[in-house]
Amino acid sequence: MAGFEFHCGRSSGYFVLLLLLIVQSVSGGGEGVIRVNYKFSGSERTLTALSAHDDMRHLRILAGVDLPIGGTGRPDSVGLYYAKIGIGTPPLDYYVQVDTGSDIMWVNCIGCSECPRRGYHGLELSFYNPKDSVTGELVLCNQKFCKDITSGSMPSCYGNTSCYYTELYGDGSYSMGYFVRDVVQYDQVSGDLQTKSSNGSVIFGCGATQSDDLSSSDDALDGVIGFGKSNSSMISQLASSGRVKKMFAHCLDGVNGGGIFAIGHVVQPKVNMTPLIPNQSHYNVNMTAIGIGREFLNLSSYVYMHGDSQGAIIDSGTTLAYLPEVIYDQLVKKILSWQPDLKLRTVNDEYTCFEYSDSVNDGFPAVTLYFQNSLTLKVLPQEYLFPYEDLFCIGWQNSGAQSRDRRNITLLGDLVLSNKLVLYDLESQAIGWTEYNCSSSIELKDEITGSVHLVGAHSISCGCGLGLKTALFLFLLISLLQNIVY
């Protein structure tokens, strides 16, 4: 039955539900079946009852949140990591790219004619409609959130009209639409490798239009979930309502894909931290030196800490790593000096590539980045050299040759962040990381009880994840139903 797969499209939801109920009755609740009981079953689902129910749940601060992620950061494929979240009442699932380099969470909205219908790995994309959710509501211009986020820069936004947003990204792509507020569903950590459903009210963007870069069918998703520093990010909104601590961590598995993304206080593994540079819009840290093998680049610390942007930006929403031209030139020259006979070629007008048949880890040096507080980040050759057809290409990029938004900045993306646990402690304004097996688990502390729980790795996909026996049974059942119908 290789290649047999069910896709989680909403249009076939009732049919899949019927099949699952049949499977449950036949197999006694086999794998792939989730038993669900609705609190308001048999009674009128009033807004008052729903609100009271949510208020009781919101009185408890969460021990932590386990956010299942999938995807990969490999530059030779579509490099992105994404999470699955539920939005609305009743909730629908949305797949959103996880991005620590931006602040606003947004999803494609009903009425977006230019938004793709299918995306990453054939994923059937969803379109949010605030009218379909009993907890969905528009955010208006006269509300505090809109006034704070626009800072009076939109004179046409006033009164009870909709509050609009425009999210611009460093690569020139953008999303535009209007803000809504609704309930976002996520998994609360309740024990070792165990979760229970929880939710919080979050303001996010309802995408009405987007640039061609975001609508490419190869890498399109339902939207983006921003975990940036500003008050509009999801982590800031949940923390300001007392739902979580303003701390989160990710461990992006560059080998198997997926990994770990958790909100809360990570106690294991131990992580050495470096302070965030204050008054910056991103997660900027002071980089002090770069080592290649046993040598160092001959540059002053001023070059690393100053430029078009102070320090180095840590950004999970970027695949590669960008360095100012003066750093990039020396770094690449040192790397290539280990194999002086290579014949270089340029691919796609941006990647420096070459043929190499031996082990890159044996033939090229590791690159070590040094930061304030003696924090280091080691990047192996297999991480900064990625395969492309029959070539190897250098993942380090010259930011001096990029667009004005990225010119001469230091920006560290998944190229260097993969296979490391990266911890963001916004309570202490610090960030840190350590090399880690991202297919294993981490320990998260319950701030109320003091107990510690394991949070494991995930690798979600657009498939429903049914077991082989269940999938075989469904295949036979569908064939039987087709014979009955026809």
Side-chain angles (χ1 to χ4, degrees):
M1 296 303 297
F4 183 78
E5 183 180 32
F6 281 87
H7 293 278
C8 301
R10 288 187 295 170
S11 60
S12 58
Y14 294 111
F15 183 59
V16 172
L17 177 60
L18 171 63
L19 294 179
L20 289 177
L21 290 174
I22 295 173
V23 172
Q24 184 180 10
S25 63
V26 172
S27 63
E31 58 184 314
V33 177
I34 299 175
R35 301 176 185 270
V36 179
N37 292 311
Y38 184 46
K39 176 178 178 180
F40 300 100
S41 177
S43 62
E44 185 180 358
R45 187 180 65 181
T46 65
L47 287 177
T48 303
L50 288 170
S51 178
H53 170 68
D54 285 342
D55 285 344
M56 288 300 296
R57 298 178 71 178
H58 293 174
L59 292 176
R60 303 188 303 271
I61 188 170
L62 299 182
V65 174
D66 179 10
L67 194 65
I69 63 173
T72 174
R74 292 187 62 84
D76 54 314
S77 62
V78 177
L80 57 85
Y81 289 90
Y82 60 94
K84 183 174 74 171
I85 58 173
I87 301 178
T89 308
L92 295 175
D93 287 339
Y94 298 85
Y95 293 86
V96 288
Q97 182 179 1
V98 177
D99 183 12
T100 62
S102 64
D103 298 307
I104 293 175
M105 169 182 153
W106 61 266
V107 294
N108 292 326
C109 254
I110 196 76
C112 181
S113 58
E114 298 177 358
C115 294
R117 265 50 186 174
R118 286 194 176 274
Y120 183 70
H121 284 193
L123 177 69
E124 185 175 348
L125 302 181
S126 302
F127 289 83
Y128 174 77
N129 186 350
K131 294 182 180 178
D132 288 343
S133 171
V134 298
T135 48
E137 59 184 41
L138 297 177
V139 175
L140 306 179
C141 290
N142 57 10
Q143 294 176 347
K144 184 178 186 302
F145 177 90
C146 186
K147 293 178 180 178
D148 289 344
I149 200 168
T150 60
S151 301
S153 60
M154 295 179 63
S156 60
C157 184
Y158 59 88
N160 59 354
T161 57
S162 292
C163 181
Y164 290 92
Y165 79 90
T166 299
E167 184 74 331
L168 300 173
Y169 298 100
D171 60 1
S173 59
Y174 62 85
S175 170
M176 295 189 296
Y178 53 94
F179 283 112
V180 295
R181 180 194 296 273
D182 208 339
V183 169
V184 173
Q185 312 282 338
Y186 40 73
D187 294 332
Q188 176 186 348
V189 176
S190 58
D192 286 348
L193 305 179
Q194 296 180 347
T195 61
K196 59 183 179 181
S197 180
S198 189
N199 63 52
S201 179
V202 173
I203 294 176
F204 56 93
C206 197
T209 185
Q210 59 184 227
S211 62
D212 293 339
D213 312 62
L214 293 174
S215 60
S216 168
S217 59
D218 293 334
D219 55 0
L221 290 168
D222 292 318
V224 172
I225 181 169
F227 269 83
K229 291 173 62 179
S230 84
N231 293 334
S232 61
S233 72
M234 181 173 175
I235 182 67
S236 295
Q237 291 190 56
L238 292 177
S240 65
S241 64
R243 301 289 290 147
V244 297
K245 287 285 187 180
K246 206 170 182 180
M247 308 165 74
F248 67 95
H250 59 68
C251 197
L252 309 177
D253 193 331
V255 179
N256 305 305
I260 304 169
F261 198 106
I263 301 175
H265 184 184
V266 176
V267 294
Q268 190 65 34
K270 300 295 183 183
V271 178
N272 188 21
M273 308 293 286
T274 189
L276 290 169
I277 300 175
N279 304 318
Q280 298 293 308
S281 56
H282 298 288
Y283 296 112
N284 294 49
V285 291
N286 280 320
M287 188 164 69
T288 57
I290 295 181
I292 301 94
R294 297 182 179 180
E295 298 182 77
F296 284 86
L297 294 185
N298 186 23
L299 295 169
S300 68
S301 59
Y302 178 87
V303 173
Y304 296 106
M305 297 184 187
H306 297 82
D308 290 1
S309 177
Q310 257 194 304
I313 299 171
I314 308 299
D315 180 9
S316 70
T318 297
T319 302
L320 301 172
Y322 296 83
L323 301 170
E325 190 164 11
V326 62
I327 300 176
Y328 170 85
D329 286 344
Q330 280 202 35
L331 175 63
V332 172
K333 184 178 180 180
K334 288 280 188 183
I335 290 173
L336 294 177
S337 69
W338 282 54
Q339 300 293 336
D341 297 328
L342 292 176
K343 295 181 179 179
L344 305 179
R345 66 181 74 173
T346 302
V347 175
N348 294 339
D349 297 327
E350 58 180 333
Y351 300 121
T352 299
C353 306
F354 52 83
E355 291 184 8
Y356 192 75
S357 57
D358 296 329
S359 167
V360 293
N361 279 345
D362 294 335
F364 294 89
V367 175
T368 305
L369 311 181
Y370 292 81
F371 298 85
Q372 190 176 343
N373 278 13
S374 301
L375 180 64
T376 62
L377 197 159
K378 187 176 183 179
V379 189
L380 299 176
Q382 67 183 27
E383 294 169 330
Y384 69 75
L385 294 173
F386 64 90
Y388 179 81
E389 297 180 350
D390 58 344
L391 305 174
F392 279 98
C393 300
I394 299 175
W396 305 106
Q397 296 294 289
N398 178 7
S399 62
Q402 303 298 315
S403 64
R404 184 167 55 184
D405 290 338
R406 283 188 177 178
R407 185 173 298 278
N408 278 325
I409 66 171
T410 301
L411 193 154
L412 306 178
D414 300 334
L415 175 84
V416 300
L417 301 181
S418 294
N419 309 313
K420 283 95 178 169
L421 177 74
V422 183
L423 175 60
Y424 302 73
D425 184 353
L426 304 186
E427 305 277 342
S428 303
Q429 287 296 295
I431 190 172
W433 48 77
T434 186
E435 292 188 26
Y436 202 65
N437 177 6
C438 296
S439 63
S440 59
S441 58
I442 62 174
E443 294 183 4
L444 211 64
K445 181 180 179 181
D446 187 322
E447 295 293 338
I448 300 175
T449 66
S451 58
V452 174
H453 300 308
L454 290 175
V455 175
H458 302 273
S459 188
I460 61 171
S461 67
C462 59
C464 294
L466 298 177
L468 179 60
K469 290 190 296 183
T470 304
L472 177 60
F473 176 81
L474 291 179
F475 176 73
L476 295 174
L477 181 60
I478 291 172
S479 299
L480 177 62
L481 291 175
Q482 287 177 335
N483 290 333
I484 293 174
V485 173
Y486 298 107

